[in-house]
Amino acid sequence: MKRTIDKPYGTYSVYTAASSGIFAKCPQCHGRGIVTSNITTACFKCTNCNHSITKDRTLYRYDVHNQCQQCGQYYRVDITEQRKQHFPMVYAACPHCGFLMPGYIHKTAKALYSIGEIKNGCEPFFGYELWFLSTFRGKPIWALNREHLAYLIDYLSADLRENPVNFYQMKTQADHLPAFMKSAKNRKGIVKQLRRMLDFA
């Protein structure tokens, strides 16, 4: 009888995996790439063709603040059109009287992009398809990286699954898994699919 001990909740979350690396498909050569992230930036680098991209995770506010030449009131107008946000100066209408006048665009940091979850088999930073991705009976099965894949194979192939030692949380890592993956009738077939992914590790 194979026995395994589950991991604490969040061990293989997108947030934790992003620090060591999420495996994703390169949009240039379709080889394996790695997505990493820290507090301010997210990076992708292909291990096959060396294509790389870096993305700022900071959310910025772009606005014009001025004193209207017609009504004399001070105002601040947000510039939400992305095309205009890269200009040093734009024309903006006074919200009090509608007078149109030029103003310098001010860019200020206001927040960080939150780390989302996996959607449609794609990682949340660049929207690239996960490297370890397959389907079972029409439903997606995926792993974030080698460590996550090894955990899924170990957990789902076990005959006896136990909570972590000194378990004090309400949930474990297995609570992230959809019900169809944990169903006894599906586990053997899913493990077979997951093991096939190891060939591409």
Side-chain angles (χ1 to χ4, degrees):
M1 177 178 286
K2 182 183 176 182
R3 171 177 171 268
T4 190
I5 299 174
D6 201 359
K7 302 290 185 182
Y9 188 77
T11 300
Y12 300 108
S13 68
V14 171
Y15 179 82
T16 54
S19 61
S20 59
I22 296 171
F23 287 18
K25 188 179 289 185
C26 176
Q28 300 288 329
C29 72
H30 304 292
R32 189 186 73 219
I34 299 175
V35 176
T36 55
S37 176
N38 57 30
I39 295 175
T40 58
T41 58
C43 301
F44 171 84
K45 185 167 185 179
C46 179
T47 59
N48 186 54
C49 71
N50 288 324
H51 168 67
S52 63
I53 186 171
T54 300
K55 180 179 181 180
D56 190 349
R57 288 188 55 216
T58 308
L59 286 171
Y60 292 98
R61 176 178 183 172
Y62 299 84
D63 58 42
V64 170
H65 35 95
N66 242 334
Q67 182 180 12
C68 181
Q69 294 173 351
Q70 181 163 288
C71 70
Q73 295 200 59
Y74 288 93
Y75 65 87
R76 170 177 274 177
V77 176
D78 286 326
I79 306 301
T80 56
E81 191 177 336
Q82 289 187 350
R83 182 179 59 87
K84 293 182 177 180
Q85 291 174 348
H86 303 289
F87 297 155
M89 181 180 283
V90 295
Y91 278 86
C94 171
H96 304 291
C97 69
F99 183 69
L100 194 66
M101 58 182 285
Y104 289 103
I105 290 185
H106 298 268
K107 176 183 175 183
T108 52
K110 65 174 184 177
L112 290 175
Y113 286 104
S114 60
I115 299 178
E117 293 301 318
I118 302 299
K119 291 183 180 179
N120 302 316
C122 297
E123 51 79 26
F125 299 98
F126 300 94
Y128 295 162
E129 185 179 294
L130 292 175
W131 182 251
F132 295 126
L133 177 65
S134 185
T135 59
F136 180 79
R137 295 179 179 172
K139 295 181 179 181
I141 53 174
W142 47 263
L144 297 169
N145 49 35
R146 286 191 189 99
E147 293 77 16
H148 187 209
L149 181 59
Y151 160 77
L152 291 173
I153 293 171
D154 181 65
Y155 181 82
L156 294 174
S157 63
D159 300 301
L160 181 63
R161 288 166 288 277
E162 300 177 359
N163 286 335
V165 179
N166 300 324
F167 180 69
Y168 59 89
Q169 295 177 307
M170 296 294 291
K171 294 182 178 182
T172 65
Q173 179 62 34
D175 288 304
H176 280 288
L177 299 177
F180 85 92
M181 288 186 72
K182 293 184 281 188
S183 171
K185 66 179 181 180
N186 294 332
R187 286 199 299 265
K188 187 175 180 180
I190 291 173
V191 168
K192 187 176 180 180
Q193 288 283 79
L194 293 171
R195 283 182 172 144
R196 282 177 184 161
M197 293 184 193
L198 281 175
D199 295 335
F200 302 97

